[in-house]
Amino acid sequence: MKTKDIQTSKAAPRIIISGGGTGGHIFPAIAIANALKALCPDADILFVGAEGRMEMQRVPDAGYPIVGLPVAGFDRKHLWKNVAVILKLLRSQWKARRIVRQFRPQVAVGVGGYASGPMLKTCALMGIPTLIQEQNSYAGVTNKLLAKQAAKICVAYGGMERFFPADKILLTGNPVRQSLLDAHVARPEAAAYFGLDPKKKTVLLLGGSLGARTLNRTMEAGLALIKANSDVQFIWQTGKIYIEEVKAAITAFTGEAMRNVRVPSLPNLYVSDFIRDMPMAYAAADLVVSRAGAGSISEFCLLGKAVILVPSPNVAEDHQTKNALALVEKGAALYVKDADAPATLVETALQTVADDAKLDELRRNILRLALPGSAETIAKEVLKLIQ
């Protein structure tokens, strides 16, 4: 969608939602938009994302218009490359100003990601109230800067006063995909969906919407252990960019060409680049192995899933490790360091999934951290800012 195509209604509340980059930002943003529509069906919602990022496809798929900014993240390893990044930021701020003048929003919501910085900064400078949704237990640099002008800051963890003004903070939790909460799938049905045995324990391994190299390499190295423990099943989401590499590793190990999602000699292993029906996957799983993105953790809490977290070391301020430790301190998750995963993760998963008492303990403790109704709570705060 181009800025010249932006349509507005004078009567309807006009709301901008900005951010994206990963599913962890996009899914909460769409959940907030859906909650706004449920509370106020005539609300006019415009998304603002980053050109070339996944929100430019996922948001229209969800039924909302989106405009892209030519913004990119800073390269912390090669500082000389940031000249182009600064130019893109200036162009993005100019385009954000044009979007505001055309759409005339009454409030702007930032969910994190490249686009939220220039968009919310521009809105604040033009006198439009802003709301920030901080998903992590350790606030990012952009949100800490935006907080000075924000009217309200919705957070998912306690203790965020060390980053934000206490009088602006509201503990809401992170919105999650409504389809996960609405689904009521029986375990036998879920196991059958993946062609697995409902009587056997099942481990679900997720690398996030883009996949995770360490988790995939760990599983490749653990194929012999997986084969030897045929009483435990694995559902392995590789991510699209790693699927061919994974298939080659499985073929090299088994001597069988991998077709579709499994090979005959490893009937306890289901492999896919992307799992489209996550309610089925969660229903089938006794234990989840995952990165420690804020959105994923919120899903685990609301669904009461036993989980082993392997935080990505390649994120700003190492916030995934801080997310994971916030759960570990409450006995609500297990933690394996990324560097230790190739040597210990598969064995840890096998030991944990066989321990019913440990699984029950993890489920009980993580369920206590759930904050249901997050999207609706945030949506109500957005509408209050308009009023």
Side-chain angles (χ1 to χ4, degrees):
M1 184 178 181
K2 298 179 180 178
T3 52
K4 66 180 181 180
D5 299 323
I6 294 174
Q7 302 292 322
T8 63
S9 169
K10 291 182 180 179
R14 297 181 302 280
I15 303 161
I16 279 178
I17 300 178
S18 184
T22 67
H25 294 308
I26 297 166
F27 294 138
I30 292 172
I32 293 169
N34 291 341
L36 284 164
K37 280 290 189 181
L39 292 171
C40 186
D42 64 339
D44 195 354
I45 299 172
L46 176 67
F47 278 76
V48 179
E51 292 176 355
R53 304 293 289 187
M54 69 165 63
E55 60 264 28
M56 302 307 293
Q57 177 182 344
R58 295 285 177 87
V59 169
D61 287 348
Y64 295 100
I66 186 168
V67 179
L69 300 181
V71 66
F74 279 91
D75 190 327
R76 302 183 185 213
K77 294 182 180 178
H78 309 95
L79 296 179
W80 58 272
K81 292 185 178 181
N82 288 318
V83 173
V85 174
I86 292 171
L87 292 175
K88 287 182 178 180
L89 180 61
L90 294 173
R91 286 174 54 211
S92 295
Q93 290 179 336
W94 174 82
K95 188 172 182 178
R97 197 170 188 85
R98 189 169 63 179
I99 291 169
V100 170
R101 285 174 173 165
Q102 291 181 352
F103 186 68
R104 294 176 292 112
Q106 294 164 287
V107 64
V109 179
V111 296
Y114 298 145
S116 65
M119 191 69 244
L120 263 72
K121 179 181 178 183
T122 298
C123 286
L125 289 173
M126 296 178 73
I128 296 156
T130 62
L131 179 147
I132 297 170
Q133 198 255 323
E134 173 56 64
Q135 296 150 10
N136 295 293
S137 62
Y138 191 92
V141 173
T142 300
N143 273 354
K144 283 189 279 190
L145 294 173
L146 293 173
K148 296 175 183 178
Q149 283 78 40
K152 188 68 69 174
I153 303 167
C154 297
V155 301
Y157 294 86
M160 298 302 284
E161 296 83 2
R162 66 191 191 277
F163 304 113
F164 303 129
D167 60 333
K168 296 182 179 183
I169 293 174
L170 182 66
L171 183 63
T172 62
N174 285 323
V176 303
R177 292 170 280 187
Q178 191 62 36
S179 60
L180 296 177
L181 305 180
D182 293 340
H184 300 285
V185 183
R187 179 184 168 83
E189 179 188 355
Y193 178 86
F194 294 100
L196 300 174
D197 185 345
K199 297 178 182 178
K200 292 183 178 181
K201 293 290 185 66
T202 302
V203 177
L204 170 64
L205 185 129
L206 303 169
S209 53
L210 301 177
R213 183 183 296 275
T214 297
L215 297 185
N216 289 327
R217 293 280 172 84
T218 297
M219 288 290 285
E220 290 170 10
L223 287 171
L225 201 53
I226 292 168
K227 185 174 183 178
N229 288 269
S230 58
D231 56 332
V232 177
Q233 304 167 133
F234 286 81
I235 301 171
W236 176 6
Q237 179 182 275
T238 67
K240 291 184 178 180
I241 62 176
Y242 297 111
I243 185 64
E244 295 306 322
E245 174 188 304
V246 167
K247 285 182 176 180
I250 292 173
T251 296
F253 174 73
T254 62
E256 300 169 301
M258 185 169 181
R259 295 182 178 86
N260 202 6
V261 295
R262 54 168 45 88
V263 294
S265 62
L266 284 171
N268 62 327
L269 180 63
Y270 175 101
V271 180
S272 178
D273 60 341
F274 182 73
I275 297 172
R276 286 159 184 80
D277 197 328
M278 282 307 299
M280 286 288 188
Y282 282 135
D286 298 284
L287 175 69
V288 181
V289 177
S290 172
R291 289 304 201 189
S296 297
I297 287 177
S298 294
E299 292 178 358
F300 305 148
C301 290
L302 287 164
L303 296 173
K305 302 306 295 186
V307 61
I308 299 175
L309 297 172
V310 188
S312 170
N314 305 313
V315 294
E317 288 89 35
D318 196 24
H319 67 251
Q320 285 204 7
T321 296
K322 297 176 177 72
N323 290 347
L325 293 178
L327 269 69
V328 171
E329 289 167 2
K330 295 178 174 64
L334 300 181
Y335 163 55
V336 172
K337 192 175 180 181
D338 185 84
D340 297 335
T344 66
L345 180 57
V346 174
E347 181 64 40
T348 300
L350 289 168
Q351 291 175 356
T352 304
V353 80
D355 187 341
D356 288 334
K358 188 63 177 179
L359 291 176
D360 287 341
E361 177 191 349
L362 291 170
R363 289 171 188 143
R364 286 195 307 272
N365 290 341
I366 201 168
L367 198 55
R368 291 192 184 105
L369 304 180
L371 291 168
S374 299
E376 183 178 359
T377 302
I378 295 170
K380 287 178 179 177
E381 292 299 318
V382 173
L383 294 175
K384 284 180 186 176
L385 291 178
I386 294 177
Q387 295 164 1

